[in-house]
Amino acid sequence: MRITGLRARTASIPVKAPTRHSYGSPGYYSRTIVEVSTDEGITGLGETYGTVSADSFAALVPILVGEDPLNLERIRLQISQRGYISRQPMLSSPIEQACLDISGKRFGVPVHQLIGGKVRDRVPVAAYLFYRYGDAAGQGAIESPEEMVAHARELVDEHGFSSLKLKGGVHEPEHEALTLEALRAAFGANDFKLRFDPNAIWSPATAIRIGERIRGLELEYYEDPAWGLKGLQAVGRKVAMPIATNMAVIEFEQLGAAVELGAIDVILSDPWYWGGIVHTKVLDAVAKHLGLAVGMHSGIEFGVGLATMLHTAISMPNLVHAIDSHYHHLTDDVIRVPFKYEDGCMAPADVPGLGVELDEDKMQRYVEVNQELRRGVLPGHATEDYYSYPTDPTRPDWYPIVPMW
């Protein structure tokens, strides 16, 4: 079996209400979907960040055409040698996903069977909680601690979550501490896990001060409370709670330094940042021997990306934390059968490959939405809004700044 072609398209799906964090306030999530075709008529799907444009994949066609999709390391190596920009794992990861999807379909097994098999039957998912603006009708804004608690109750009642994650870096630190305190009061530590992510926007001094205040809330972990390894090290030395990251350590080269500094306790894996499914499994194995717990970061994924995460997560022995997901914020998907939560968990389909198919009508619709966002023709949206992180409309002159020591 040989690869015969590649197609890449970027789509944008509206979310239920604009989600806020330190980098902006997206009202749409954008992702690039990749389709790899073969001479046996089997097509594999992959997905990556919407900031990786469809045009970025054009240079990869000469590498891929004529290649056996089973040669994952050869393909990854060749992509990484095509120049600096192609070294980025967010470009090679969707190709690997598609090749594994092809191989699973060719041999009649799910992707998780190709990478070691299941170690659990389903994957726990955390309820991702965001401060947010109102929807198109002006309803559903979440700013106060009381509004966040009400929103969390709705998600728990609807999807059965038992882990909650608050995204911070939006309001004054004390306001976000009040929100965490309200969440813990409403959702007791015996039944619900709680994690907090200020998105690396605080100075170490602020992160320590707030960390001391919330240490009695029994957080599962404190994620990226300050910028960089030295910032995390400083916070971890002063605050008695696990420190997690998906920002300071996103590749193997940074992992050794993080361990030497004692900067982190939890590493948040990711099939994109870490170079694909296979290398994420390598991270899972290595982390155990470095004394690190493992979770999984979410990248505003659509159904193809979520399938990738689930196949990977269900086969990771050392994944001890519920994975993150933005999926419940989407209004739609580009796959024929969207995923559903059951008791706060999800599972990949036990069918060959990734187990998802594109809904071509929806795919084309949201490709057109992305193009409209790029042209700035959607009412109330600038051309920058097709990116993952457009400027927060109430803070147009505000941009994240690396805090000074």
Side-chain angles (χ1 to χ4, degrees), residues 68-87:
D68 187 330
L70 286 172
N71 291 336
L72 300 179
E73 293 296 348
R74 175 184 167 90
I75 291 170
R76 182 185 293 107
L77 182 63
Q78 289 196 349
I79 291 174
S80 72
Q81 293 177 343
R82 297 292 289 187
Y84 178 77
I85 191 63
S86 69
R87 291 179 62 236

Side-chain angles (χ1 to χ4, degrees), residues 141-405:
I142 301 170
E143 301 297 340
S144 70
E146 295 76 16
E147 288 168 339
M148 188 65 75
V149 168
H151 176 57
R153 287 195 187 281
E154 290 175 357
L155 292 177
V156 168
D157 290 345
E158 181 178 1
H159 301 301
F161 294 119
S162 59
S163 293
L164 309 174
K165 174 177 176 175
L166 176 65
K167 175 70 83 173
V170 176
H171 293 290
E172 290 295 323
E174 286 74 16
H175 179 92
E176 296 183 354
L178 282 171
T179 302
L180 283 168
E181 288 163 354
L183 286 167
R184 176 51 82 209
F187 300 93
N190 289 335
D191 298 312
F192 291 90
K193 294 179 180 178
L194 179 62
R195 60 186 75 161
F196 179 44
D197 177 14
N199 227 42
I201 202 61
W202 291 347
S203 70
T206 297
I208 291 168
R209 175 167 55 83
I210 299 300
E212 285 295 300
R213 172 173 172 171
I214 63 176
R215 64 188 299 179
L217 301 182
E218 300 184 55
L219 292 192
E220 187 178 7
Y221 53 72
Y222 198 14
E223 180 181 340
D224 288 307
W227 180 257
L229 290 180
K230 295 295 286 185
L232 296 181
Q233 180 194 44
V235 177
R237 284 176 172 174
K238 297 288 187 178
V239 178
M241 67 180 75
I243 302 296
T245 188
N246 81 280
M247 300 177 76
V249 184
I250 58 173
E251 57 187 31
F252 286 97
E253 186 176 6
Q254 299 160 340
L255 188 60
V259 173
E260 288 178 7
L261 289 170
I264 60 172
D265 304 288
V266 182
I267 184 71
L268 300 178
S269 61
D270 182 309
W272 294 277
Y273 287 172
W274 289 90
I277 294 173
V278 173
H279 280 193
T280 301
K281 288 291 300 288
V282 172
L283 174 65
D284 182 63
V286 168
K288 175 183 179 181
H289 300 287
L290 296 176
L292 300 176
V294 180
M296 185 174 284
H297 164 251
S298 170
I300 63 174
E301 59 282 339
F302 296 171
V304 177
L306 182 57
T308 296
M309 292 170 63
L310 293 174
H311 278 282
T312 308
I314 211 166
S315 69
M316 292 169 63
N318 303 308
L319 183 75
V320 297
H321 295 286
I323 71 170
D324 290 338
S325 179
H326 290 72
Y327 199 68
H328 51 278
H329 294 287
L330 287 170
T331 58
D332 203 356
D333 201 349
V334 295
I335 59 174
R336 290 188 181 277
V337 182
F339 283 94
K340 294 183 179 180
Y341 294 95
E342 182 177 345
D343 297 327
C345 299
M346 288 187 181
D350 268 323
V351 299
L354 287 173
V356 294
E357 296 180 60
L358 287 182
D359 182 317
E360 189 56 39
D361 290 340
K362 289 186 176 182
M363 185 66 195
Q364 187 56 42
R365 180 192 314 164
Y366 294 121
V367 167
E368 292 173 1
V369 169
N370 177 263
Q371 293 169 348
E372 291 174 348
L373 286 170
R374 287 172 180 263
R375 296 195 301 269
V377 299
L378 287 181
H381 294 277
T383 54
E384 66 172 1
D385 283 3
Y386 81 92
Y387 289 111
S388 298
Y389 306 119
T391 303
D392 190 316
T394 63
R395 299 184 295 179
D397 298 323
W398 186 93
Y399 293 91
I401 299 172
V402 176
M404 298 295 292
W405 285 79

Side-chain angles (χ1 to χ4, degrees), residues 4-87:
T4 56
L6 179 151
R7 183 187 193 189
R9 292 176 289 173
T10 304
S12 297
I13 298 176
V15 295
K16 294 174 182 177
T19 51
R20 302 181 68 188
H21 50 74
S22 67
Y23 286 180
S25 177
Y28 292 79
Y29 293 165
S30 299
R31 301 286 281 183
T32 296
I33 305 297
V34 172
E35 299 167 84
V36 175
S37 55
T38 67
D39 57 1
E40 294 188 10
I42 301 174
T43 297
L45 297 176
E47 180 183 310
T48 190
Y49 284 71
T51 49
V52 183
S53 71
D55 293 340
S56 301
F57 292 90
L60 305 185
V61 174
I63 294 173
L64 295 172
V65 170
E67 185 61 83
D68 187 330
L70 286 172
N71 291 336
L72 300 179
E73 293 296 348
R74 175 184 167 90
I75 291 170
R76 182 185 293 107
L77 182 63
Q78 289 196 349
I79 291 174
S80 72
Q81 293 177 343
R82 297 292 289 187
Y84 178 77
I85 191 63
S86 69
R87 291 179 62 236

